[in-house]
Amino acid sequence: MKPKISRTMIIFVTVIAASMLSSLANADSALMRDGFKRPTDIPFPEENGYTDAKAVLGKMLFFDPRLSRENNITCASCHNPSFAWEDAQTTSVGTPMSRLGRHTPTVLNLAWGELFFWDGRSESLEEQALGPIQAGGEMAQDLDLLIAELKAVSGYVDMFEAAFPREGITAENIGKAIATYERTIVSAKAPFDHWIEGDENAINAAAKRGFELFNTKAKCASCHDGWNFTDWSFHDIGLGDADEGRYEVLDIDVLKHSFKTPGLRNINERAPYMHNGSLATLEEVVEHYDSGFVKRASLSSEMQELNLTKGEKHDLVAFIKTLSSNDPQVSLPKLPN
Amino acid sequence: MLSTPYKNATICLGLLVACTAPSFSDDSVKVTQKGKQFSEKQLSLKAGQSVLFVNDDNVAHNVYTIIKGKKQDLGLQKPNEENSIAFEQSGTYRVRCAIHPKMKMVVKVE
């Protein structure tokens, strides 16, 4: 005689199985969220530790037009805090009023960075800070002339002495001061952060579905991982322009047409997107990753057609928008004269 | 004495063997790549030892180093692939993933 399975037994087993699957899904989701928790402290390098004097001086230099040859643009002309430290242009304009070749990257959260500029040509933020000051198409300044100009301003002489005792105004110290200030530029808590801290109402259902997609089917987190949503890696994502990017700095085949993965914090305020500013909206960015990229030999092995549905694309954008924080307004420093 | 073209060919062949042949020697050291990190931050080797780089990650990597001014590039390593670099000469070498620059380690060879 065959044993009979009662209807009650079937319902009981089904409920238990559903409960176990739900627990597993919640555990997966919790694990995913853990990887995006904000750090508690800003890291500063041993060779350029934080002091208030350096950060205050660095902010003044960042906003001082005298750092450019024609005294007409500042670091903030391109890295404008009103546009999440970018400039809302496809590519920027330098002191000679000519267009640059690449889109301005944000300076948000660079304290955690590794190799700087789109092509990673600077090993440190200190080195990077001096690059645009000297670049012919950008601020076009001669460092010796800049040092002489700053030494003629008594307020700067005093501030450099306070920040760098017995060293004074040098090119290295200009870089150190600006880098120190830049490391303090950190995006504040966004709705996403409140959600992973436990506030289930901080983001809506579409954004939660988008976060799941971000980590699974859409594979965004293969590169946009960690609290700043970047692993600082270099990839050819198939934008199709001739710019060889990182390969011009390091001639390794995999680096052809590759550019640094940008962080996604406050990304909603940072349009247009990509190293060439060619995509105007987040929707266009998602379309690009879905199937809009150019297939060529150097295309990153992480780039594969995603076949996202219209609803999934909507959810991804909804999620990405939860990464924008309402940062405190940045005050302009009073400059020595 | 070899003429320059032969010398260059010999050097190229030597580099090719050093970079692409998986090491089977008993004293080779295995380094894994997982979670976008090398399993070792620092290694001490004797001249002639090799390091076998194994990609245990779910993304591709590209290990490289500079030895006496020459780039040693293991090329694209997809997940589960492995390849080795022979460190024939003493010195201190910085090894990095070209794709993921936060992945870096130092190899000291005596």
Side-chain angles (χ1 to χ4, degrees), chain A residues 235-311:
Chain A
H235 298 274
D236 173 8
I237 58 165
L239 283 161
D241 60 357
D243 193 336
E244 293 207 306
R246 177 81 177 137
Y247 185 74
E248 290 171 11
V249 180
L250 181 62
D251 60 341
I252 286 179
D253 285 349
V254 76
L255 296 175
K256 274 185 186 163
H257 304 292
S258 75
F259 295 88
K260 188 165 63 178
T261 305
L264 300 183
R265 290 284 174 172
N266 296 17
I267 193 74
N268 198 32
E269 300 151 44
R270 288 164 45 198
Y273 304 108
M274 306 303 181
H275 71 271
N276 55 9
S278 60
L279 302 181
T281 64
L282 289 173
E283 286 77 9
E284 284 183 26
V285 172
V286 171
E287 286 295 339
H288 173 83
Y289 282 108
D290 182 62
S291 56
F293 49 87
V294 173
K295 297 177 182 71
R296 55 186 170 191
S298 57
L299 184 72
S300 170
S301 57
E302 312 307 329
M303 293 292 291
Q304 289 154 21
E305 290 196 1
L306 301 173
N307 299 312
L308 297 169
T309 66
K310 192 176 170 187

Side-chain angles (χ1 to χ4, degrees), chain A residues 72-227:
Chain A
N72 60 346
I73 65 170
T74 72
C75 302
S77 298
C78 296
H79 301 289
N80 185 341
S82 299
F83 292 117
W85 305 91
E86 294 190 7
D87 59 8
Q89 301 186 66
T90 304
T91 60
S92 304
V93 175
T95 195
M97 293 298 136
S98 54
R99 287 272 162 203
L100 303 178
R102 294 174 185 158
H103 176 66
T104 299
T106 186
V107 294
L108 272 174
N109 307 327
L110 289 187
W112 290 265
E114 186 77 26
L115 302 183
F116 300 91
F117 293 112
W118 279 109
D119 56 16
R121 64 185 181 274
S122 282
E123 284 278 344
S124 72
L125 203 47
E126 285 74 9
E127 182 189 334
Q128 184 279 330
L130 296 177
I133 295 173
Q134 301 172 81
E138 298 184 52
M139 297 166 90
Q141 180 66 282
D142 179 285
L143 281 182
D144 289 337
L145 293 179
L146 174 60
I147 290 165
E149 202 173 349
L150 294 178
K151 280 183 175 173
V153 181
S154 62
Y156 269 133
V157 173
D158 294 343
M159 293 191 71
F160 270 91
E161 185 56 30
F164 304 100
R166 296 173 301 283
E167 293 178 19
I169 302 177
T170 66
E172 187 182 351
N173 289 342
I174 291 169
K176 282 183 169 179
I178 295 173
T180 300
Y181 171 59
E182 287 181 328
R183 289 191 177 98
T184 67
I185 301 171
V186 179
S187 56
K189 276 188 183 178
F192 171 77
D193 300 300
H194 294 297
W195 178 56
I196 61 171
E197 284 174 357
D199 179 358
E200 284 300 322
N201 298 319
I203 67 174
N204 64 24
K208 289 175 191 174
R209 290 193 301 271
F211 176 66
E212 179 83 19
L213 285 163
F214 189 89
N215 285 279
T216 54
K217 183 179 177 183
K219 303 201 304 177
C220 313
S222 295
C223 305
H224 292 285
D225 66 2
W227 85 275

Side-chain angles (χ1 to χ4, degrees), chain A residues 112 114 222 225 231 234, chain B residues 36 71 96 99 102 104:
Chain A
W112 290 265
E114 186 77 26
S222 295
D225 66 2
D231 61 6
F234 293 90
Chain B
K36 297 176 191 169
K71 186 162 69 294
R96 208 169 201 174
I99 301 170
K102 276 196 181 281
K104 50 193 173 184

